[in-house]
Amino acid sequence: MRLLLLTTLFSLVCLHTFAQNNQLKISKLTGDFYIYTTYNTYEGNKIPANGMYVVTNDGVILFDTPWDSTQFQPLLDSIKWRHNKNVLMCIATHWHSDRTDGLEFYKQQGIKTYTTISTDQLSKQNGKKRAAFLIENDTTYTVGQYSFETYYPGEGHTVDNIVIWFKNEKILYGGCLIKGADATDLGFLGDGNVLEYETTLKHVQRTFKNPTYIIVSHHDWNSTKSLKHSILLAKKLKKKSMPIQ
Ligand SMILES: [Zn+2]
């Protein structure tokens, strides 16, 4: 009895530690889908970066890597502890550090890491971490009981940004291309395309109808109005940036 009590107490302490770790937050999205959040400092502000993972019968698929390099291993440990599963594969959705920083670390752990060819070229040019496997075209992957597709909609946040679509679950993982429903701007655009951004977002909207969830990198994902709102922001930005005729 005492042992049982101790074990329970230990589990609760662990649960508490995992839940209270303010460097890594894991929230359940729906079913086997989870959002993990790590933090980094950008221009003096603490910025959250969301990624996603899905627990399949065959193992866990990770979308993007933590932005905070101290959380690469804790994320794997938390996944193992919560689900008793290993991470099988990891796909990064564009070349910036908040998506790719953990690719090399995960490759060393035996995880199959993926980016598109375009992301790989930009990662190489910019001295970012690179994946072991390259995605040549939009591709559908099936892992365990889940299928998802990668989709390149055009230039926006960066020239290589892709989104992920779970057709059956209607989950759209938008990465940094889509901003939150209450975002005031489209964020860092130094590597983006302000004239194409709106068209690119419209490609996403037209291709993936009525998503139940839209996951965005740096804001809340609690509203599917995020895509429409981002299109509006991109439209305004385009107007402002159009060369004077
Ligand atoms: Zn980002």
Side-chain angles (χ1 to χ4, degrees):
M1 186 62 195
R2 177 173 283 185
L3 187 67
L4 183 71
L5 209 67
L6 272 175
T7 318
T8 314
L9 199 67
F10 180 70
S11 305
L12 281 173
V13 168
C14 284
L15 190 70
H16 187 75
T17 311
F18 276 112
Q20 293 302 309
N21 177 350
N22 56 11
Q23 291 172 290
L24 173 66
K25 203 173 104 190
I26 295 178
S27 323
K28 185 168 175 146
L29 179 67
T30 179
D32 293 319
F33 293 78
Y34 294 81
I35 307 301
Y36 70 89
T37 307
T38 64
Y39 304 84
N40 217 318
T41 307
Y42 178 71
E43 291 181 343
N45 299 313
K46 190 182 174 192
I47 310 280
N50 305 319
M52 183 171 81
Y53 70 82
V54 54
V55 184
T56 82
N57 293 338
D58 289 352
V60 173
I61 317 163
L62 193 60
F63 297 95
D64 294 317
T65 82
W67 193 9
D68 176 354
S69 58
T70 68
Q71 299 306 306
F72 297 160
Q73 187 63 49
L75 176 61
L76 298 184
D77 293 343
S78 297
I79 289 173
K80 182 79 183 170
W81 181 78
R82 279 167 178 256
H83 312 288
N84 198 25
K85 293 257 164 85
N86 293 319
V87 176
L88 281 183
M89 70 188 284
C90 173
I91 299 184
T93 54
H94 70 268
W95 66 271
H96 284 162
S97 302
D98 61 336
R99 311 288 105 195
T100 53
D101 221 22
L103 285 178
E104 217 147 89
F105 180 89
Y106 290 143
K107 188 160 63 184
Q108 284 161 9
Q109 309 295 310
I111 295 166
K112 287 187 170 178
T113 51
Y114 293 79
T115 65
T116 63
I117 292 175
S118 164
T119 297
D120 189 58
Q121 282 166 350
L122 285 159
S123 299
K124 194 178 166 187
Q125 272 171 33
N126 292 284
K128 303 291 177 187
K129 303 288 192 284
R130 297 168 66 191
F133 299 94
L134 299 182
I135 305 167
E136 286 185 35
N137 298 299
D138 296 339
T139 305
T140 299
Y141 294 89
T142 301
V143 183
Q145 71 276 44
Y146 291 104
S147 282
F148 64 91
E149 60 186 280
T150 65
Y151 174 67
Y152 176 66
E155 301 184 6
H157 172 69
T158 53
V159 304
D160 62 321
N161 44 212
I162 60 166
V163 300
I164 307 286
W165 174 244
F166 281 82
K167 191 177 164 188
N168 294 335
E169 295 76 16
K170 289 185 167 293
I171 295 172
L172 175 63
Y173 180 81
C176 296
L177 178 67
I178 306 175
K179 306 299 173 190
D182 49 7
T184 50
D185 57 47
L186 291 167
F188 176 68
L189 289 161
D191 301 313
N193 187 331
V194 294
L195 296 179
E196 282 298 310
Y197 211 132
E198 185 197 1
T199 311
T200 297
L201 285 170
K202 282 182 171 170
H203 287 158
V204 176
Q205 191 184 43
R206 207 185 311 142
T207 312
F208 307 121
K209 300 265 193 270
N210 304 317
T212 307
Y213 298 97
I214 301 177
I215 309 308
V216 299
S217 290
H218 301 294
H219 303 94
D220 274 353
W221 60 88
N222 51 16
S223 168
T224 50
K225 291 194 177 112
S226 52
L227 180 54
K228 254 191 190 159
H229 179 67
S230 298
I231 291 172
L232 205 73
L233 290 174
K235 191 177 178 175
K236 281 185 191 159
L237 186 72
K238 186 177 168 180
K239 233 177 172 175
K240 232 170 57 184
S241 319
M242 284 285 248
I244 298 157
Q245 304 287 326

